[in-house]
Amino acid sequence: MSKVNIIPGELQLDNLRQVMNPKIACVLQQEAKHNVDAATNLVAKIAAQDEPVYSINTGFGLLAHTHIPTEQLAELQKNLILSHATGVGKDLEDDVVRLLIALKINSLMQGCSGIRWQIIEMLNTLLNNNVLPCIPEKGSVGASGDLAPLSHLGCALIGVSNVKLNNEIVSAKQGLQKVGLQPVELQVKEGLALINGTQASTALALSALFKFEKCLSAAMLAGSMSLIAANGRVNVFNANIHRVRRQLGQQQVAKIFRDLLGDYKASTAEGNIVRVQDPYSLRCQPQVMGACVAQMRFAAEILLVEANAVTDNPLVFVDDEQVLSGGNFHAEPVAMAADNLALAIAEVGALAERRVALLMDSNFSGLPSFLVAHSGLNSGFMNAQVTAAALASENKALAHPSSVDSLPTSANQEDHVSMATYAARRLHSMVDNIAYILAVELLADAQAFDLRKNVQLPEKIKACYQFIRQHVSTLDEDRYMADDIEKIYQAIIQGQFQQWIDCNVENFS
């Protein structure tokens, strides 16, 4: 089994991609135990005193002024977990839960949370054995931490609720027993350390980012193929044009198109339509997708910082013997990063849908209407383009910023919230939508190549075309198309188009 070393505060994007894989084991840096133990000892020392310190010997939120007797401090932490486990809806996907656990471990290992090393090891045992708490996806406003989803994580540790083990839902107690663990009795501050933090929203956003990378690879290929299918002009990718614009993302995308298109030139053979200028969805791909790359790069930078951050509350600073209450749990950075990523996702899909629409029009493409012989008897790709349009339009609504919304909670103590968890969660629907749009485009491109005949394809484009044809045959006449679209969608989501162009964000640094 491959391993990822968790060095507190030093995870990289590739580490985060890896921990989502159940075949990857996480190894804790043992040197971190010293700082974790020191913080735990300081919390115990403070708890033994009479002076009220938030969350150590007081209630929470608006109840912070309520003093809790020493003999009830353990019960306080258990009650906190149980009362805040109020999530609803379907459970988070397994890979998101794995990432969430890894992020929580990374935060707790930094020695600012006052939690025992035993709890961190327990989380890591669950992760490495793929015993995954059932965490409902809805119920967090992304302020005071992702309280509801992280409480469901905490419930698994105390033997409450359910976990998923080998794709089967079992009780948390059964899941713990399967890996040699017993429910833990939480000590002072440990419940709050578990449920405060932005790990749910950050895991959702990072997971969507990684899916978008795969879609972006497919979009570069689809855009190149559509240009060829439409007999478009390649001079628009000339490096001089993009150099003087000075936008890094635009220059990088233009180079990708030059590499993919190679020596291709628009055909002047009889029957081909040659245009002086192509529509923007073909001509301005570097400008539009380059801007999307810039947003992706920005979002990745913010999310990587958040993945390595300590975001619970209060925080323990051993050197100064201080426990300070602040607001690191407020997930505004994640919400804004997710909103920016939403813009990029929506625009990639909108551009792809317009390219599909161009290919449907025989007056533009010079190909049979709706890319099928005997159109009229056959409708060809007519309604596949409608599906693409529906999904592109849906993404416009989903791209509305979530971070500008706020609804006070906790009797107005938490009077401004980030809505980061929804901001990140909706990205997954958006990515799915563009993957389907791109599946339609790639199928339309392959169909156009078959209809145009004798078109000379650059090496990578030819390989991509052949890959599509290995999965889906030419549309000679109308047939059930949903399965065709689904096959290419699955190939996109699985990252199979990255073999020709890898659009992981690190490649755009």
Side-chain angles (χ1 to χ4, degrees), residues 75-278:
E75 183 181 2
L76 173 69
Q77 299 301 312
K78 180 181 179 181
N79 288 348
L80 176 69
I81 296 285
L82 295 175
S83 65
H84 284 66
T86 56
V88 297
K90 67 179 184 179
D91 291 339
L92 294 176
E93 296 293 332
D94 291 357
D95 56 354
V96 175
V97 175
R98 288 186 57 83
L99 183 53
L100 182 158
I101 295 173
L103 295 180
K104 176 55 77 173
I105 290 171
N106 187 38
S107 177
L108 297 176
M109 284 178 67
Q110 296 183 52
C112 294
S113 302
I115 195 167
R116 287 170 294 164
W117 185 257
Q118 167 194 346
I119 306 296
I120 299 172
E121 288 185 317
M122 196 173 182
L123 286 168
N124 200 48
T125 298
L126 295 181
L127 180 61
N128 287 342
N129 289 277
N130 216 38
V131 178
L132 304 178
C134 295
I135 301 178
E137 66 177 6
K138 298 180 182 181
S140 174
V141 295
S144 197
D146 291 318
L147 294 174
L150 292 176
S151 291
H152 285 273
L153 170 66
C155 278
L157 300 181
I158 64 175
V160 175
S161 190
N162 297 318
V163 298
K164 185 184 286 187
L165 177 62
N166 299 324
N167 293 317
E168 180 184 354
I169 304 297
V170 300
S171 72
K173 286 184 179 179
Q174 287 177 289
L176 293 173
Q177 289 170 358
K178 287 284 187 180
V179 292
L181 297 174
Q182 294 295 323
V184 68
E185 182 177 354
L186 297 174
Q187 301 301 314
V188 177
K189 195 186 174 302
E190 289 183 332
L192 194 59
L194 285 170
I195 74 171
N196 256 183
T198 63
Q199 287 78 32
S201 51
T202 305
L204 281 163
L206 281 165
S207 175
L209 169 70
F210 299 150
K211 288 180 181 177
F212 180 51
E213 292 171 333
K214 298 171 184 176
C215 290
L216 195 58
S217 295
M220 300 290 183
L221 286 158
S224 300
M225 293 173 73
S226 287
L227 185 97
I228 296 172
N231 200 40
R233 301 176 67 88
V234 296
N235 64 321
V236 297
F237 304 115
N238 186 287
N240 286 331
I241 295 173
H242 306 285
R243 175 177 52 81
V244 297
R245 182 73 181 275
R246 300 180 185 273
Q247 294 288 352
L248 177 60
Q250 178 178 324
Q251 294 177 66
Q252 292 168 325
V253 171
K255 185 179 186 304
I256 288 172
F257 275 91
R258 290 196 300 273
D259 291 344
L260 288 173
L261 291 165
D263 295 330
Y264 165 77
K265 291 182 180 179
S267 173
T268 57
E270 185 178 353
N272 287 318
I273 297 175
V274 181
R275 293 169 295 276
V276 175
Q277 286 189 330
D278 290 319

Side-chain angles (χ1 to χ4, degrees), residues 20-36:
M20 298 173 73
N21 185 342
K23 296 181 180 179
I24 298 292
C26 289
V27 179
L28 306 181
Q29 184 195 48
Q30 291 302 307
E31 290 82 353
K33 185 175 185 297
H34 172 77
N35 291 338
V36 170

Side-chain angles (χ1 to χ4, degrees), residues 173-419:
K173 286 184 179 179
Q174 287 177 289
L176 293 173
Q177 289 170 358
K178 287 284 187 180
V179 292
L181 297 174
Q182 294 295 323
V184 68
E185 182 177 354
L186 297 174
Q187 301 301 314
V188 177
K189 195 186 174 302
E190 289 183 332
L192 194 59
L194 285 170
I195 74 171
N196 256 183
T198 63
Q199 287 78 32
S201 51
T202 305
L204 281 163
L206 281 165
S207 175
L209 169 70
F210 299 150
K211 288 180 181 177
F212 180 51
E213 292 171 333
K214 298 171 184 176
C215 290
L216 195 58
S217 295
M220 300 290 183
L221 286 158
S224 300
M225 293 173 73
S226 287
L227 185 97
I228 296 172
N231 200 40
R233 301 176 67 88
V234 296
N235 64 321
V236 297
F237 304 115
N238 186 287
N240 286 331
I241 295 173
H242 306 285
R243 175 177 52 81
V244 297
R245 182 73 181 275
R246 300 180 185 273
Q247 294 288 352
L248 177 60
Q250 178 178 324
Q251 294 177 66
Q252 292 168 325
V253 171
K255 185 179 186 304
I256 288 172
F257 275 91
R258 290 196 300 273
D259 291 344
L260 288 173
L261 291 165
D263 295 330
Y264 165 77
K265 291 182 180 179
S267 173
T268 57
E270 185 178 353
N272 287 318
I273 297 175
V274 181
R275 293 169 295 276
V276 175
Q277 286 189 330
D278 290 319
Y280 291 175
S281 60
L282 296 175
R283 194 197 332 166
C284 298
Q285 292 185 78
Q287 288 82 358
V288 176
M289 285 203 273
C292 295
V293 163
Q295 296 305 314
M296 180 177 74
R297 188 192 303 119
F298 165 77
E301 178 184 337
I302 297 297
L303 294 174
L304 181 59
V305 170
E306 196 73 3
N308 284 298
V310 180
T311 55
D312 60 289
N313 188 65
L315 297 173
V316 182
F317 298 98
V318 174
D319 291 345
D320 298 322
E321 292 199 353
Q322 288 182 319
V323 176
L324 300 178
S325 182
N328 282 4
F329 48 63
H330 200 296
E332 193 79 0
V334 179
M336 288 189 172
D339 282 345
N340 278 273
L341 192 56
L343 298 176
I345 294 169
E347 282 296 88
V348 168
L351 200 66
E353 185 279 326
R354 287 293 82 201
R355 294 192 299 263
V356 174
L358 291 177
L359 295 179
M360 299 299 107
D361 183 354
S362 61
N363 294 319
F364 170 81
S365 68
L367 297 169
S369 294
F370 303 108
L371 300 178
V372 68
H374 309 295
S375 52
L377 174 63
N378 294 302
S379 295
F381 278 76
M382 179 189 292
N383 218 60
Q385 186 268 324
V386 173
T387 295
L391 298 175
S393 189
E394 182 177 306
N395 273 359
K396 294 175 188 177
L398 288 170
H400 184 278
S402 299
S403 57
V404 298
D405 184 29
S406 180
L407 199 64
T409 62
S410 193
N412 286 314
Q413 174 77 357
E414 297 156 9
D415 59 346
H416 181 277
V417 302
S418 73
M419 296 307 299

